[in-house]
Amino acid sequence: MNVKIRKGDKVEVISGREEDRGKRGEVIKVNPKESRVVVQGINVRTKHQKQVQAQNRTVNPGRVKFESSIDISNVMLVCPKCNKLTRVGVTREGGTAHRVCKQCNSVIDE
Ligand SMILES: [Zn+2]
């Protein structure tokens, strides 16, 4: 699969959990093998941390929030140039592949 979403991209959730749909966030992790991405503030789960005994002090058990991965097909890239949801094209110049916004035809990658 040709992964066109990269770490640091801004994306919008277009399907999946209702509470996440329409939200935008930055991609903080991409797992191309499983076609999954982790997006800041999206699919936030709460992990209950067990009470930890450390140096005779008891650390309060807490709830840790973390982002769980979502399927890459549930997000669409937000073009940094025109701020629209877009599919990504690829152009090749001098042997280097650049991603291109299909809405405004701007090259997304510097
Ligand atoms: Zn654009």
Side-chain angles (χ1 to χ4, degrees):
M1 187 199 160
N2 199 352
V3 176
K4 291 179 178 161
I5 302 282
R6 295 181 191 165
K7 192 180 165 188
D9 283 345
K10 197 176 173 192
V11 294
E12 182 170 317
V13 180
I14 51 165
S15 55
R17 290 207 308 180
E18 200 174 332
E19 59 183 285
D20 286 334
R21 245 175 275 159
K23 280 191 193 168
R24 291 182 178 191
E26 189 181 305
V27 175
I28 50 182
K29 200 176 171 188
V30 180
N31 187 340
K33 247 184 198 170
E34 295 173 16
S35 298
R36 294 182 80 80
V37 288
V38 179
V39 184
Q40 204 159 41
I42 305 298
N43 203 14
V44 176
R45 305 288 173 91
T46 308
K47 187 162 62 183
H48 295 268
Q49 214 169 41
K50 284 180 196 147
Q51 196 161 303
V52 187
Q53 206 83 33
Q55 293 176 335
N56 298 325
R57 286 183 301 128
T58 303
V59 179
N60 283 334
R63 287 184 297 179
V64 181
K65 286 189 188 265
F66 68 103
E67 284 96 348
S68 191
S69 68
I70 57 173
D71 198 275
I72 208 162
S73 64
N74 286 353
V75 301
M76 245 182 131
L77 184 72
V78 178
C79 173
K81 311 278 179 183
C82 66
N83 213 32
K84 285 180 187 161
L85 294 185
T86 183
R87 293 198 299 138
V88 180
V90 173
T91 178
R92 284 175 201 283
E93 284 169 31
T96 314
H98 296 283
R99 294 184 301 166
V100 176
C101 169
K102 289 203 169 175
Q103 297 280 356
C104 66
N105 291 318
S106 294
V107 174
I108 293 166
D109 304 307
E110 299 303 330

